[in-house]
Every structure is written in C-alpha cells, then in structure tokens.
C-alpha cells in the first residue's frame, strides 16, 4: 500500500532537515504504529506524506500502490485515498460541519468520476456512520470544529474518515486530549474501519491508544529515523522503560 | 444622432478594443449589446440639464429643481477623505444622457421592447420567467395560470426604463412600482413631496451631481397597511461608452406597510473608467418595514487595475415613523472604486436600522464603504454587521458612524466589523466613529481581522477539496451572517458571486 524509501524532508521555513533517511513499508490491511518522543519528526512525516506545502522532499520517494506520489498536490493525494486525522483539526467559522463533509465527499467522487450525492442521500449516509461515533445532529449542524471539545473534534475526524473511505488512514496523535470514554469511542470507530484493503499509520506518544487499536507493527522514531521495530510488545516496553532506554541501547 | 455614436466608436484606439476582446474570457459579464445609442453631447452644463429634463418631458418644477442642484454642484468639491486613489475624473468628458434609440417613444407595452435588450437580460442571468414577462409573452398566461412568480422587475437599461412587469398585479393593491421618470408624470405630488427629503440636493458632491442630471431610476410607493406580496427588483446596467449612470431611486413605505427591494447589477467590459453616482432614498413611515438588498457586480477593472467602474453612491433611509424599520443588505463585489455608505436616520421613536454588508475587493479594487446610523428618536436600535474581504493588491475600508443624539434616550447600537485577508499584498482598514451624547444609551463594537491561513487551506485540500473551492467555502462561511440576510432567491446567486469574485486570489 505505502512504501517510503530513504525519505529526507526539510521544513522550508526553518531550513532544517527533520527526517533523514526514513524507510517504511505498509501492506494492505496492516496497522502500523509510530511512536517517538517529542520532536522526533512524527508529524512532519504525516504532513510530508499528505503533501503539505512548506515540506520539501530532499531525497527518497513515497509510493502509494506502487506509484510515486511526490509530484501530486495535497488534494490529489487525498483523492488517491490518503486521509489524515489531524492532531489539531482546523476550525472554519460559518461553514456547517455537514456541508463541509458533503463538499469533501462530492469533490472526491467528482474527481473519481463517480456519482455525487444529493443532500438527502448524504444525510442518510452520515446519520448511519455518525451514530456509531456518538456524533449527533446538533454537532453535525454546528460550524466545522468551532467550539468543539477535544473529544468532539477527534470523533469528527474519525467520522470524516468513515465517510471518505480512504485506503490509507494516518492518525496523528488522535489520542491527545481524549478522556477514557472518548478514547474508546474513537478506537471503536477506527477498528470498525479495519479491512483487508485498508491500511493504518498511527502516530502516538503513548501506548494506551494501542491497547484499543492493536497494531501489527510498532516502530520507534527518534530524530527523523526509525531506530527500532517490533510487535505490540515494543509499545509496552516503551510504556515501561521510556524512550531514553531505547535510545541508549541504540547508541550502544 | 447615429453620427455621434459612430464618432464615439471611432474615438477608441483599435489596440484597446483588441485588449478588451482578449480579456472577455475573464469577465463573464463583459459584453455589450449592439443597440444604437441616442447621446447628448459630452460634458455638463445648464443646457445639458435642460436637455435631460426635456427628453424626459418633465414639468417645470422638476427642471427648476435640477438647475438649482446644478448651480450648487458647480460650487462644490469632490471629497478627498476616502481611502481611495483614482485618476481624476474629467466631468466634461462624460456623457450625461444616453438612451436606447428605438425607445424614443416610450414603450406602450413590453411587446415594444427590442429583442437585443431581452438577449442582454438573458446573458445577465435574469430568471427566465422574468424575461418572459419582460418580453410580454406570458402576460396572458400569468393571469390564467395560478403560478405566481415572486419577483417583479423594473429593468433599467442605461438610462431609460424599458419595461416594468407585474405592474397590474401590484396596482390592484395600490402599490406603485415604476420608473422615476414615469412617476414624475403620473404621481407628481408624491415625488415632489418626498424627493430630496432624505438626501438633500446639497448633501454631497456626487448626490448633488445626481440631482442635476439623474436620467432615470425606480419609484416605489407602498400604501398604508399593504404588505408587498413579492420582491421588487431592478437590474441596473451600464451599456454605453463613457455614459455616466445617474440613477435615482425613491421608495416610500406608508404606515404599517412592508416591502423588500432588490437591486442587482453587472456592467459590460470597458477599458475607460465609468462614473456611476446613484442616489437612493427610502422613507419609512409609522410601523413601516423596508428591506433593501443590493448585489453589486459592476466591472471591477482587469487584473492590472485598468478600467472598471467608479461607483459613488449615496443611499439613505429616513425612518420617519414610530417603530419603523429599515434593513440594508449589500454584497459589493464589483467596481474599481466603491464609495458607498447606506445609512439610516432613526428619527421615529423606537425605529430600527440594520446594515449587513459584504465587501469583496480583489486585484486592484478599492472599497471604502460602511454606514451611518443617526439616532434621533427615543429607544432607537441599530445593528451593523460588516464583512470585508481583501485579496490580491486590493484595499478595503470600513467607515462607519454611529451618532446617538442627546434626545435619543435608551438607544442601542451593536457593531460587528470583521475583515478577512487573502494573501500578503492587500489591506483592510476599519474606521469606526461612535458618538454617544446621552448616558442612557449603549453602544457595542466588535472587530476582528483574520487571514485564511495555510493550515485551514491544507485541511480542506487534505479532504479532497480544491483550492478555489476551499477559499469559496471559507469566505462564504465568513460572510454567512450577511448572506442569510438576503432574500432566499438571491442568497444562492450571491454565494456564487462571492466565489467568482475571488477566483485566482490564491496560489
């Protein structure tokens, strides 16, 4: 599904290479977690995959289903099936949550030459998916993310993910700011989307999200590279001993 | 007269015509209709004022009124306080009168309307139904079929009103909706009683000029206790080279009456600057309610700031009666230069004034717009919601005055002024004046300035929404409160216009 080869990423604004030779391969249906301390380049990686402006690829390649996506604009990468659940979802005053989601879905459908949904069809679809995530009509009618609590924002991200049915889902610190109940709802939402054709890349600081969404592989990222790879046990190890321990081991 | 027309055409540099043609793609409404014009010679003088009055077959009192205005105008100076920079206007290099040639005789019915005019309306996107009415084809059908359209149109093509629909339907209720030139003939006592009482002839440079040379415009009278059953609408359009548009509109809502009026305009592509100085006067008597909505889409000039309409407009409402109410809503997307402050004089006790505005300036457009709320009566209320959007190299200024007089006890004002910037080369300015002369009244002012930021755009792109759609979405969200104040059938149109005006503003 996703293959990243020797990727190097520079943030144009600070002229600093944040990711230095990053490799990752995710097969269809797999769930990969990337853990790492603050400033290890996790969010930079997610932005680079999605094609955000200001992230300059100075080396390597990113392939989606065997084709390089480096030349594609952010919008086209989304249409190809890459979805990012934002760490800090953006507020857009005056734009209704529902109409934003419908615009997004129909833009993607249009680009893929599929039939667009009319408001009634869309509402039916949303209602179905929203109830699983405890998103009610009131929340759907409010302006996008404006005045949403942390939990509401994250549930709303997962709802968008469910609607857009991407091939590759990237969750950027989706667990930050969530209480226990919200964490469970979000995890259930994600687990419901797991399928043999859909892959996940979960970026997190903590192991706790991974007890709800069980990953196939865990990678430890430090200073823009993966220093260790393992199974779910690796996450528990981090929880127990911290990153410092792993970094120290690496140096030895 | 057709010689004058040919001369006017000859005066244009062929290169200009070429460049105008090449730009046509950019401005959707940039076309001109091939109708021969009947011009008065260029320039302004007493003779021209007399000629205009004569062409309109006006009574003596109207001519005197115009001439007095002209005399005063010659002693006035163009205001220099707005935050606007434009090439000095040569008032002697403008035409002050032009009318479609085939209309030398006032049209007796809509069937007399020239087909080319109707084609123009079609291009402007005037709803089919209204076009049919304008063409006079469905008149009979309308009487029998029970389909009641919601909009009545008084179409102003250049200077002369060419057709008014729904007149009979409205007449049954005693509502008068016609061109002002017709009103001067048919309802002189009403016109004489109210014209110039809201915007006096001495008011300002542009209003005084208008008083001297106004060619036509709309007149509305809603009798006591009548609720106008449909939206009244006028489409303005400039269509003659160098012809200044001097529209004059007068709306009177008698006691306990209600009316909603929409003015929408687009102008054809031109490379020379065109002067537009309209005057709109609204009079609301006891408990009357007037809603006046404008969608302004005059030609804004090209991407490099060449051409475009100079739009100097004086709009004012007099809430004369107790508990009268006026609501101004404007969507200003066009014109190279906009100078416009739709205002309310809250004279009647407990009267209310509202102003909802979206002003969009892109490329080299300049807008200096806002409102004045003058509180004179007790318990008067005003509400101002202004949304200014600047993109490209445009400058957008909100200028407002809330003036609460000593006797206007227990009055309230709320002002909300939001500016949105797109890009790094545009400017937003807010100049609010608040004068409160008594201690029982309260004013509130809120202002924000924001920018469409890269993160917001990225969020939309990441969901598969294209950049221009994303900007349109964000801007429409920003303007929502104002767009919602528009009559339903125009809100959607305005939404599209907002998107069109900002095309090419990012990336």
């Amino acid at each position: 599904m996703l293959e990243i080869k020797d990727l190097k990423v520079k943030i144009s604004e600070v002229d600093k290479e944040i990711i230095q030779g990053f490799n990752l391969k995710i097969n269809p249906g797999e769930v990969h977690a990337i853990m790492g301390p603050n400033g290890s380049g996790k969010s930079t990686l997610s932005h680079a995959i999605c094609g955000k402006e200001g992230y300059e690829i100075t080396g390597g390649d990113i392939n989606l289903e065997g084709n390089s996506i480096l030349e594609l604009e952010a919008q086209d990468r989304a249409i190809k099936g890459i979805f990012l659940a934002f760490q800090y979802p953006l507020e857009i005053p005056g734009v209704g949550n529902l109409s934003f989601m419908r615009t997004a879905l129909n833009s993607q459908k249009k680009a893929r030459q599929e039939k667009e949904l009319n408001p009634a069809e869309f509402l039916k679809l949303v209602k179905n998916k929203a109830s699983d995530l405890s998103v009610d009509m009131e929340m759907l009618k409010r302006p996008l993310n404006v005045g949403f609590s942390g939990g509401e924002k994250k549930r709303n991200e997962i709802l968008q993910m469910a609607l857009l049915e991407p091939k590759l889902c990237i969750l950027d610190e989706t667990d930050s700011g969530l209480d226990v109940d919200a964490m469970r709802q979000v995890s259930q939402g994600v687990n419901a989307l797991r399928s043999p054709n859909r892959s996940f890349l979960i970026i997190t600081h903590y192991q706790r999200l991974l007890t709800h969404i069980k990953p196939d592989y865990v990678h430890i990222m430090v200073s823009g590279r993966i220093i260790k790879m393992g199974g779910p046990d690796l996450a528990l190890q981090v929880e127990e001993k911290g990153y410092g321990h792993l970094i120290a081991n690496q140096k030895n | 007269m057709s010689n004058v027309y040919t001369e006017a055409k000859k005066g244009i540099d062929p290169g200009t015509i070429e460049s105008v043609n090449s730009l046509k793609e950019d401005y959707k409404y940039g076309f001109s209709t091939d109708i021969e014009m009947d011009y008065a010679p260029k320039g302004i003088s007493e003779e021209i004022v007399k000629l205009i009055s004569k062409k309109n077959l006006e009574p003596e009192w109207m001519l005197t009124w115009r001439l007095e205005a002209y005399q005063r105008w010659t002693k006035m100076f163009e205001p220099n306080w707005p935050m606007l920079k434009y090439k000095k206007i040569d008032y002697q290099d403008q035409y002050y009168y032009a009318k479609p040639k085939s209309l030398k005789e006032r049209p007796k019915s809509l069937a007399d309307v020239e087909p080319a005019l109707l084609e123009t309306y079609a291009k402007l996107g005037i709803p089919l139904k209204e076009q049919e009415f304008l063409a006079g084809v469905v008149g009979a059908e309308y009487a029998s079929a029970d389909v009641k359209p919601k909009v009545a149109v008084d179409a102003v093509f250049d200077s002369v009103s060419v057709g008014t629909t729904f007149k009979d339907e409205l007449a049954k209720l005693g509502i008068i909706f016609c061109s002002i030139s017709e009103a001067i003939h048919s309802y002189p006592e009403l016109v004489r009683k109210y014209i110039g009482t809201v915007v006096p002839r001495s008011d300002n440079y542009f209003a005084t000029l208008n008083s001297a040379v106004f060619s036509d415009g709309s007149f509305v009278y809603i009798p006591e206790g009548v609720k106008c059953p449909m939206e009244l609408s006028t489409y303005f359009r400039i269509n003659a080279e160098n012809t200044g548009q001097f529209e004059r509109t007068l709306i009177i809502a008698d006691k306990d009456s209600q009316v909603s009026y929409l003015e929408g305009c687009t102008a054809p592509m031109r490379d020379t600057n065109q002067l537009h100085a309209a005057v709109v006067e609204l009079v609301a008597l006891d408990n009357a309610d007037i809603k006046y909505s404008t969608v302004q889409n005059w030609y804004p000039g090209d991407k490099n700031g060449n051409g475009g309409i100079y739009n100097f407009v004086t709009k004012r409402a007099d809430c004369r009666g107790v508990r009268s109410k006026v609501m101004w809503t404007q969507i200003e997307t066009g014109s190279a230069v906009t100078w416009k402050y739709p205002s309310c004089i809250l004279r009647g006790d407990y009267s209310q004034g509202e102003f909802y505005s979206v002003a969009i300036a892109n490329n080299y457009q300049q807008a200096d717009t806002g409102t004045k709320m003058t509180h004179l009566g007790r318990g008067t209320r005003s509400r101002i919601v202004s949304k200014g959007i600047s993109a490209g190299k445009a400058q957008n200024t909100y200028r407002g005055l809330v003036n609460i007089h000593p006797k206007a006890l227990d009055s309230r004002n709320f002002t909300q002024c939001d500016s949105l910037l797109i890009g790094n080369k545009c400017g937003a300015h807010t100049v609010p004046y608040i004068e409160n002369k008594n201690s029982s009244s309260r004013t509130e002012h809120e202002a924000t300035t924001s920018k469409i930021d890269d993160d917001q755009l990225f969020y939309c792109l990441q969901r598969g929404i294209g950049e221009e759609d994303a900007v349109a979405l964000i801007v429409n969200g920003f303007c929502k409160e104002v767009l919602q104040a528009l009559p339903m059938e125009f809100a959607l149109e305005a939404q599209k216009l907002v998107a069109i005006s900002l095309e090419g503003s990012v990336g």
Side-chain angles (χ1 to χ4, degrees), chain A residues 69-132:
Chain A
I69 56 168
L70 289 186
E71 294 302 314
L72 297 180
E73 300 287 331
Q75 183 201 0
D76 299 319
R77 297 187 197 193
I79 288 161
K80 289 258 183 240
I82 298 177
F83 181 92
L84 172 65
F86 281 60
Q87 182 180 3
Y88 304 109
L90 277 295
E91 300 184 358
I92 307 187
V95 176
N97 199 3
L98 261 183
S99 70
F100 176 79
M101 290 188 197
R102 191 163 79 89
T103 306
L105 182 63
N106 279 340
S107 299
Q108 296 207 10
K109 282 190 177 292
K110 196 175 168 188
R112 296 190 199 114
Q113 296 180 325
E114 294 167 15
K115 192 177 162 283
E116 294 176 47
L117 296 186
N118 67 37
E121 291 165 338
F122 179 74
L123 193 64
K124 207 174 144 193
L125 179 72
V126 172
K127 274 187 172 167
N128 249 325
K129 310 230 176 205
S131 60
D132 298 339

Side-chain angles (χ1 to χ4, degrees), chain A residues 47 52 75 78 82-84 86 90-95 100 104 107-108 145 157 160, chain B residues 453-456 458-467 469 473-474 476-478 480:
Chain A
H47 288 149
K52 187 176 181 182
Q75 183 201 0
I82 298 177
F83 181 92
L84 172 65
F86 281 60
L90 277 295
E91 300 184 358
I92 307 187
V95 176
F100 176 79
S107 299
Q108 296 207 10
N145 292 323
E157 290 290 291
Q160 291 178 49
Chain B
D453 63 31
D454 296 343
D455 287 336
Q456 267 178 334
F458 175 60
Y459 190 73
C460 295
L461 294 175
Q462 212 298 306
R463 295 300 182 251
I465 301 169
E467 198 157 64
D469 289 342
L473 195 74
I474 294 168
N476 271 306
F478 174 76
K480 195 176 181 188

Side-chain angles (χ1 to χ4, degrees), chain B residues 128-339:
Chain B
L128 254 182
K129 203 155 221 168
E130 290 157 28
Q131 276 184 48
E132 287 170 351
F133 278 98
L134 279 168
V137 286
V138 212
E141 187 190 307
Y142 170 48
S144 57
D146 228 8
V147 198
K148 300 223 170 183
K150 294 164 288 214
V151 185
V153 182
D154 178 27
V156 177
F157 186 89
D158 272 19
S159 305
V160 181
S161 278
V162 290
T164 303
T165 51
F166 299 94
K167 219 183 249 178
D168 296 345
E169 182 68 14
L170 295 170
K172 278 180 205 153
L173 294 163
I175 295 171
I176 303 167
F177 178 35
C178 62
S179 69
I180 194 135
S181 55
E182 187 183 335
I184 290 165
H185 289 283
S186 309
Y187 314 101
E189 65 295 334
L190 274 176
V191 176
R192 228 178 152 168
K193 185 172 172 190
Y194 290 104
I195 195 168
T197 62
V198 184
V199 178
R201 280 174 296 172
S202 56
D203 194 77
N204 69 71
Y205 190 78
F206 300 109
T208 305
L209 175 63
N210 175 288
S211 301
V213 299
F214 74 88
S215 37
D216 212 335
S218 294
F219 177 82
V220 176
Y221 173 77
I222 314 289
E224 196 173 328
V226 171
K227 281 186 185 176
C228 184
M230 59 187 91
E231 306 281 345
L232 301 182
S233 166
T234 302
Y235 290 83
F236 291 92
R237 187 167 166 80
I238 299 177
N239 206 284
E241 195 89 29
N242 277 338
T243 306
Q245 279 274 299
F246 304 97
E247 303 293 340
R248 183 125 198 155
T249 294
L250 175 59
I251 298 176
I252 302 140
D254 214 324
K255 288 175 189 170
D256 303 304
S257 69
Q258 227 179 55
V259 62
S260 171
Y261 187 90
L262 185 116
E263 164 207 32
C265 42
T266 61
M269 195 84 186
R270 293 294 174 206
D271 69 328
T272 47
N273 291 304
Q274 289 181 298
L275 175 65
H276 184 221
V279 170
V280 174
E281 297 179 281
L282 310 183
V283 180
L285 301 181
D286 290 356
N287 294 307
D289 188 335
I290 303 177
K291 209 174 159 179
Y292 192 105
S293 314
T294 305
V295 174
Q296 188 265 115
N297 186 23
W298 300 108
Y299 176 53
D302 68 13
K303 281 175 185 154
N304 303 313
N306 299 316
I309 304 295
Y310 288 0
N311 198 24
F312 298 94
V313 186
T314 306
K315 288 184 170 174
R316 195 171 302 151
D318 192 350
C319 291
R320 244 167 243 191
V322 176
R323 293 184 203 284
S324 55
K325 191 179 167 190
V326 166
M327 177 171 155
W328 295 104
T329 307
Q330 60 171 22
I331 311 295
E332 300 283 321
T333 66
S335 297
V337 167
T338 299
W339 179 94

